[in-house]
Amino acid sequence: MILSKENVGNVKKMEWLDIPPTAIFSLPEKVLQFGTGVLLRGLPDYFIDKANKQGIFNGRVVVVKSTGQGDTAVFGKQDNLYTQCVRGIENGKQVEEAIINASISRVLSAATQWPEILACATNPQLQVIISNTTEVGIVLHNNDDVQATPPVSFPGKLLALLLKRYTHFKGSAESGLVIIPTELIIGNGAKLRDIVIELSRQNKLEEAFITWIQTANDFCNSLVDRIVPGKLPEDDRAAMESRLGYNDDLMIMSEVYRLWAIETANEKTRDILSFSKVDKGVVIAPDINRFRELKLRLLNGSHTFTCALAVQMGFDTVKQAMEDECFRRFITTLMMEEIVPAIVSAKVTEAAGLQFSADVLERYKNPFIEHHWLSISLQYSSKMKLRNVPVLLQYYEQKNTVPRCMALGFAAYLLFMKSEKTTENVFTGHAGGKPYIINDDRAATLYSLWHTSNTNNFAQNVLQDTGLWGSNLDTLPAFCKAVAENIEMIKQKGMVQTLQLFQQAGQIL
């Protein structure tokens, strides 16, 4: 049996399976979504489906497939239904549940169905536009023709829709939309708005329309945080389909944790986004910077500070590393004793930082997700600079002493970047006798520094390199000495014994 509208009534009722009532299929289309990816289906569409099942939002989603790659046939075959398997740990307990998501009404291809997509703009019940077109989707494509079928870029397509709506509803303020990009860039809503306005001017559209864009529509910055790996491993999927009693080619998996922070002070927008009432994971606030700071420093930053340690301890995945008591103690100390005190401010309280740390540690222990450390190491130097150097500087501002875990994490990163260069200019490192490829734009710089200095001089030269870090880290009292000593300790004793010595010395919890 294939999961479909016709067959959903025949699905066996089970306590751990959420089945949609048939009334959902007649709800009006209120959302236009650019992107068919698993992040959108696993987070925004999850919230919308949950609200619809509680009679709150009462609106379905028209999905636009923006790229020409792939097709939409599988969605049509299943009447746009899909199963979301939620797996992980929450409040110390293992969670496993399955949800048949019925939020999507149609999936349309921009390449072949642009007139149908454009017609959505004339729907008086349309209220929200969501996007996830990757970070390169929100870029200015100069002179993108708003009259093309379709325009080339996502902002161009959005502009065409807004122009159609403005014309159809004669510029009424009530016809404006809530526009929420979820692309992982800071100020995504404001950036998208500015590009749309610039394209309006390049297309020589009237000023009254540009004013309507600015005043009748709410472009909201947003932040999304949920690991949605996508398809289950083949064996898991077969086992799940056997338990469910149907086949589902769109089945996805996600972790339990979920956050969609949406920035707006507009009460009308808050009312429109009524799905926020059904789940604590949707946060609507006039300023979402604290959520970004928590995610960037404690989730992304702790990954970056511990990635090299884990690789040098012989771990392939985050899950494996978290099963090791010494590693677990190290990352807990790093987050709660060093990162949290560094980021406490008027916007981020200590309590919020500690709670977020606890949530992140639970997420790292998720036994269902295979998150590989070598994937995390992609562009390692850039991540260290953007995520962790600001925290290191903030720690020194507050404590003016060496953060022991950060210093060890930095030393491990530098050893990870110690490489050999092939004739094809590929840089490879070694850990535990295993080679790995270093995918980092700064690999050549670190290679050169490693091959021209001893450990002490190397550490000093690296930390003084403002081109790498944006500031001279050698000015931080005793930091260079700690990094150099840690490098030598790891070289002589290995990472496992080094962490054990840290624990014995009381430097980790």
Side-chain angles (χ1 to χ4, degrees):
M1 181 172 73
I2 297 171
L3 178 61
S4 66
K5 182 178 175 181
E6 180 182 352
N7 292 331
V8 75
N10 299 320
V11 174
K12 183 181 178 182
K13 292 180 174 59
M14 293 172 275
E15 185 179 351
W16 52 272
L17 176 62
D18 185 5
I19 303 172
T22 56
I24 279 185
F25 299 116
S26 61
L27 291 176
E29 296 174 339
K30 288 187 177 182
V31 180
L32 189 62
Q33 174 178 298
F34 282 82
T36 59
V38 295
L39 187 279
L40 289 175
R41 290 198 284 131
L43 192 63
D45 296 346
Y46 165 88
F47 292 127
I48 291 169
D49 178 71
K50 186 174 182 178
N52 287 342
K53 287 170 178 169
Q54 295 183 29
I56 302 288
F57 181 67
N58 296 320
R60 300 185 82 199
V61 181
V62 180
V63 173
V64 177
K65 185 169 181 57
S66 297
T67 65
Q69 298 175 343
D71 60 50
T72 61
V74 65
F75 285 92
K77 177 182 168 185
Q78 296 187 186
D79 297 316
N80 307 301
L81 296 170
Y82 63 94
T83 310
Q84 180 173 352
C85 302
V86 180
R87 296 175 167 184
I89 299 173
E90 187 173 43
N91 299 323
K93 296 180 181 178
Q94 189 164 300
V95 175
E96 288 188 72
E97 62 178 335
I99 300 156
I100 298 178
N101 190 305
S103 63
I104 298 174
S105 61
R106 293 184 286 163
V107 177
L108 303 174
S109 168
T112 60
Q113 296 173 290
W114 183 242
E116 292 174 62
I117 295 167
L118 211 52
C120 293
T122 66
N123 173 11
Q125 292 181 293
L126 183 67
Q127 295 179 317
V128 182
I129 293 181
I130 303 169
S131 71
N132 193 296
T133 55
T134 76
E135 291 78 1
V136 298
I138 301 184
V139 293
L140 175 64
H141 189 284
N142 278 314
N143 299 311
D144 196 359
D145 184 2
V146 73
Q147 301 299 337
T149 54
V152 174
S153 66
F154 162 58
K157 293 179 178 72
L158 176 59
L159 175 59
L161 283 159
L162 292 175
L163 181 60
K164 179 76 171 181
R165 191 166 181 85
Y166 172 82
T167 303
H168 183 82
F169 291 104
K170 299 178 172 56
S172 70
E174 294 74 23
S175 63
L177 300 170
V178 177
I179 300 163
I180 316 173
T182 65
E183 289 79 358
L184 296 176
I185 55 176
I186 296 174
N188 44 23
K191 184 172 183 180
L192 178 59
R193 179 198 60 218
D194 293 346
I195 292 172
V196 167
I197 291 170
E198 175 60 25
L199 281 176
S200 300
R201 295 206 162 98
Q202 290 184 3
N203 279 267
K204 297 182 170 52
L205 301 176
E206 63 180 5
E207 282 298 322
F209 169 62
I210 295 174
T211 299
W212 177 84
I213 290 176
Q214 295 171 309
T215 59
N217 300 273
D218 193 4
F219 287 77
C220 303
N221 297 326
S222 86
L223 173 73
V224 290
D225 187 5
R226 189 177 214 177
I227 299 172
V228 187
K231 289 186 176 182
L232 280 71
E234 200 57 43
D235 289 347
D236 285 356
R237 177 185 161 188
M240 179 57 73
E241 287 184 335
S242 178
R243 291 175 69 192
L244 292 168
Y246 60 79
N247 297 327
D248 181 358
D249 288 337
L250 292 170
M251 186 184 296
I252 61 172
M253 180 179 74
S254 72
E255 66 172 337
V256 181
Y257 184 88
R258 65 256 177 222
L259 173 67
W260 190 12
I262 302 169
E263 187 170 273
T264 183
N266 189 315
E267 285 302 317
K268 179 183 176 184
T269 296
R270 184 181 289 274
D271 291 340
I272 288 171
L273 305 180
S274 58
F275 51 76
S276 65
K277 298 175 183 177
V278 304
D279 197 292
K280 64 180 182 179
V282 184
V283 178
I284 301 176
D287 186 343
I288 63 170
N289 281 324
R290 71 183 179 95
F291 299 101
R292 181 174 292 108
E293 184 74 357
L294 287 167
K295 178 178 183 289
L296 181 65
R297 307 308 179 194
L298 287 165
L299 177 69
N300 304 131
S302 65
H303 264 158
T304 303
F305 264 132
T306 58
C307 179
L309 273 87
V311 171
Q312 289 162 35
M313 291 178 77
F315 300 123
D316 293 326
T317 67
V318 174
K319 177 178 68 176
Q320 289 173 348
M322 290 300 292
E323 291 170 353
D324 181 88
E325 181 186 1
C326 214
F327 179 89
R328 196 166 59 246
R329 284 172 176 267
F330 176 83
I331 197 170
T332 301
T333 306
L334 167 73
M335 295 169 70
M336 295 191 171
E337 298 289 321
E338 295 186 5
I339 298 179
V340 168
I343 65 173
V344 167
S345 66
K347 291 182 179 179
V348 178
T349 65
E350 181 182 28
L354 293 175
Q355 181 58 58
F356 194 84
S357 298
D359 291 341
V360 168
L361 290 168
E362 275 198 332
R363 296 168 72 185
Y364 286 168
K365 295 174 189 175
N366 192 333
F368 301 103
I369 292 178
E370 299 288 333
H371 203 172
H372 291 270
W373 288 111
L374 287 180
S375 298
I376 294 169
S377 74
L378 181 67
Q379 298 300 343
Y380 205 157
S381 300
S382 166
K383 289 175 179 176
M384 187 66 80
K385 175 185 177 181
L386 295 174
R387 297 172 176 180
N388 292 347
V389 167
V391 178
L392 174 64
L393 297 175
Q394 287 168 239
Y395 185 91
Y396 264 95
E397 283 180 14
Q398 298 200 23
K399 306 284 188 179
N400 198 35
T401 188
V402 176
R404 296 295 177 185
C405 293
M406 292 189 200
L408 182 60
F410 208 96
Y413 147 76
L414 292 176
L415 280 168
F416 179 93
M417 295 297 295
K418 187 175 184 180
S419 65
E420 298 299 328
K421 184 169 65 171
T422 70
T423 54
E424 293 81 20
N425 282 329
V426 174
F427 296 90
T428 59
H430 287 81
K434 295 181 182 178
Y436 54 85
I437 295 175
I438 297 174
N439 292 300
D440 190 316
D441 289 343
R442 296 293 192 169
T445 300
L446 273 297
Y447 170 84
S448 177
L449 288 169
W450 262 118
H451 284 78
T452 55
S453 352
N454 60 35
T455 298
N456 287 326
N457 290 338
F458 166 74
Q460 187 174 49
N461 291 338
V462 168
L463 293 175
Q464 288 177 346
D465 193 329
T466 57
L468 281 171
W469 314 119
S471 58
N472 183 354
L473 302 184
D474 189 34
T475 62
L476 301 176
F479 187 67
C480 182
K481 181 173 182 290
V483 169
E485 288 175 352
N486 285 333
I487 289 173
E488 284 301 322
M489 189 186 305
I490 298 167
K491 280 182 175 180
Q492 293 171 21
K493 300 184 181 298
M495 184 56 74
V496 172
Q497 191 176 350
T498 296
L499 268 193
Q500 290 171 347
L501 291 171
F502 260 59
Q503 184 176 338
Q504 292 167 12
Q507 293 177 332
I508 56 178
L509 295 173

